[in-house]
Amino acid sequence: ASLPLGTRLPEQQDVSAFAAIPSDHQLRGIVHHVASFGAYVLAVDPVTSKTAWGIVHLTELPEGCSLQPGTEVNVRVTAVDIELGRLTFSMQADQGSFAQSDGAALVGLGSSVEDPIKAEAPPD
């Protein structure tokens, strides 16, 4: 899956669907771009199939993790700010890391989850 790079991420987005997701649930996502402080990821809510952008801070990346735009990853929601429309993700797990998506341990994996990520273009 490739995402058009050079587009701006939204300043405001509806992240309310992500507030009910337990922090131990893994979500499927795609890295949009990498910055000095972490990575921006587009993730899918497995129940509603809504997508939203969030950040994975460097401190929430598994040790030795190297990300590039377009990389499929698994993330956990660690913070939701509905008022500001912001999500914070982690790629660390209690029992090992899950940086690269292998499709086996994803919540809600199926056509309804896969399609929104591949079809979603970054907002202008």
Side-chain angles (χ1 to χ4, degrees):
S2 64
L3 297 172
L5 301 178
T7 56
R8 296 189 62 183
L9 298 177
E11 292 183 24
Q12 185 73 28
Q13 63 183 343
D14 179 9
V15 297
S16 58
F18 290 80
I21 298 174
S23 64
D24 62 343
H25 278 66
Q26 298 177 30
L27 305 177
R28 184 161 181 244
I30 294 181
V31 175
H32 178 263
H33 68 273
V34 179
S36 61
F37 51 83
Y40 286 93
V41 174
L42 173 66
V44 177
D45 175 347
V47 175
T48 66
S49 295
K50 290 189 176 194
T51 58
W53 298 94
I55 182 128
V56 180
H57 191 268
L58 284 175
T59 59
E60 295 298 325
L61 294 172
E63 188 175 330
C65 180
S66 176
L67 297 176
Q68 297 178 13
T71 303
E72 290 188 16
V73 295
N74 296 328
V75 296
R76 293 183 300 110
V77 177
T78 58
V80 178
D81 187 328
I82 294 173
E83 187 176 315
L84 294 177
R86 294 183 182 164
L87 292 173
T88 304
F89 298 128
S90 175
M91 289 175 54
Q92 295 182 350
D94 294 334
Q95 299 175 346
S97 65
F98 49 95
Q100 293 288 99
S101 172
D102 64 4
L106 300 178
V107 173
L109 184 62
S111 61
S112 64
V113 173
E114 293 176 17
D115 293 342
I117 286 182
K118 292 180 181 176
E120 176 92 9
D124 292 326

